[in-house]
Each structure stands twice: as structure tokens, then as C-alpha cells.
């Protein structure tokens, strides 16, 4: 695939990674990455908020949207993550429904990954207890612009999965 400029990491203090923007191309790439991720986070937040409003996830349920930044051996990852927490009937442990999409920058190019998974403490709907991947797509070795374009497509795909709460057995309000 195409060549990718990956901003280097600079250590500040203990383990505080920060992008080291050293040139105009790096600054432009960083700005593109951050503005795209902000927009996609908002898009996924609007979708998951509508699901939370439309379905009765039960007492004590919640929706937590977050942007996660993690350092991996391959390189830094920026991910939009939206987690529904809820209790299965008669269970005191929290089950989770997660929608997420992210990009990891590596020396070999960018990796984009999107997923919807559910971690159930007890069987619910058509799923048994445990972790179930309902959607997963990963693409490696992309340029930053190709990765962000593909990530936009992945988030759009996630936002078509409005039937997931129904498949878990949740009633509409």
C-alpha cells in the first residue's frame, strides 16, 4: 500500500506519550486524524444515544461514550468506544454491549478496526453467557487518508446495527 508518515512518540515524564509533531505534514496529518475521530465519535454517540433512548435496558443501566488513547507494541491507537452497561434479570454483575472503532498507526501503515461485541454474565435474547462478537472488521497497511476513509465506512456500518438491543431481548420504550 502507500507510504504513511507516522508521528513519533515523545516521552514526557513517566509514561505520558504525546505526538511529536515535527513538520507541516505531521501537523496536517495529526489534525486530520483528530478532527475525523471527533466527527466519528459524535456520529457513533448520536447513534448509541438513540438506541439508549429507544430501548429499555433496565434499572441501573447506563451508556458511557469515550475516546480511548492506548499505546500498543505496534504503535499508538485512537478509538471511539461506546459501552452500554446493564444487568441481566436476577444477576448482580454488569453485562456490556460495546460499539467501537479505531485507528492504530504503525511503521507498516495504519490499521483500522471496528467491532460490536457483547459480554453477558447470563444468557440474554439469542445469546448465551460470555463474549460474542456481532461485528468485526480489521484492515491493515493503509495510508492515513485511506485508513480514515475506511474508518468512516466502518462507523457508518456500526450505525446500521440498530437491531442489536432487540436481538438481546430488550423491549422498545
Amino acid at each position: 500500500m502507500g507510504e504513511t508518515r507516522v508521528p513519533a512518540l515523545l516521552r514526557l515524564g513517566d509514561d505520558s506519550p504525546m505526538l511529536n509533531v515535527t513538520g507541516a505534514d505531521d501537523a496536517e496529518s495529526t489534525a486530520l486524524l483528530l478532527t475525523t475521530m471527533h466527527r466519528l465519535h459524535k456520529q457513533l454517540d448520536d447513534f448509541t444515544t438513540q438506541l439508549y433512548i429507544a430501548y429499555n435496558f433496565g434499572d441501573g443501566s447506563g451508556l458511557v461514550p469515550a475516546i480511548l488513547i492506548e499505546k500498543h507494541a505496534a504503535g499508538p491507537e485512537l478509538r471511539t468506544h461506546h459501552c452500554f452497561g446493564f444487568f441481566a434479570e436476577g444477576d448482580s454483575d454488569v453485562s456490556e454491549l460495546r460499539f467501537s472503532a479505531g485507528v492504530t498507526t504503525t511503521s507498516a501503515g495504519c490499521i483500522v478496526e471496528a467491532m460490536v461485541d457483547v459480554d453477558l454474565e447470563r444468557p440474554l435474547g439469542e445469546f448465551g453467557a460470555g463474549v460474542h462478537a456481532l461485528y468485526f472488521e480489521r484492515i491493515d497497511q493503509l495510508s492515513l487518508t485511506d485508513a480514515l476513509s475506511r474508518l468512516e465506512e466502518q462507523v457508518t456500518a456500526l450505525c446500521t446495527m440498530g437491531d442489536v438491543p432487540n436481538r438481546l431481548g430488550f423491549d422498545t420504550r
Side-chain angles (χ1 to χ4, degrees):
M1 296 253 140
E3 185 177 325
T4 302
R5 292 185 56 111
V6 179
L9 287 178
L10 173 66
R11 286 232 180 254
L12 296 177
D14 296 328
D15 281 336
S16 303
M18 181 179 127
L19 288 176
N20 178 18
V21 179
T22 57
D25 288 343
D26 288 344
E28 187 176 313
S29 294
T30 301
L32 178 63
L33 172 64
L34 294 175
T35 56
T36 301
M37 285 302 292
H38 177 264
R39 183 173 42 77
L40 295 177
H41 179 69
K42 173 95 172 85
Q43 180 181 345
L44 195 53
D45 188 44
D46 290 346
F47 171 72
T48 55
T49 298
Q50 289 302 313
L51 286 181
Y52 191 69
I53 292 168
Y55 286 90
N56 182 4
F57 285 90
D59 294 338
S61 66
L63 171 61
V64 178
I67 294 180
L68 306 174
I69 301 170
E70 296 181 357
K71 182 180 175 192
H72 300 284
E77 176 188 46
L78 183 59
R79 175 171 295 278
T80 179
H81 182 83
H82 299 258
C83 180
F84 295 83
F86 54 89
F87 297 94
E89 188 175 325
D91 196 354
S92 61
D93 293 322
V94 176
S95 292
E96 295 181 340
L97 169 60
R98 301 175 289 243
F99 289 76
S100 68
V103 60
T104 303
T105 56
T106 74
S107 60
C110 294
I111 301 166
V112 293
E113 184 178 274
M115 72 174 64
V116 176
D117 68 337
V118 62
D119 184 356
L120 299 174
E121 295 299 320
R122 290 191 175 200
L124 190 61
E126 61 187 67
F127 302 99
V131 178
H132 305 275
L134 308 178
Y135 174 87
F136 179 79
E137 182 180 53
R138 176 187 166 120
I139 305 169
D140 297 274
Q141 299 182 346
L142 297 170
S143 70
L144 179 61
T145 54
D146 288 344
L148 295 178
S149 176
R150 190 64 191 134
L151 193 62
E152 288 184 41
E153 293 171 10
Q154 288 178 331
V155 168
T156 298
L158 295 179
C159 292
T160 66
M161 300 190 71
D163 68 325
V164 172
N166 187 48
R167 292 175 60 196
L168 288 166
F170 292 110
D171 295 324
T172 55
R173 295 184 192 261

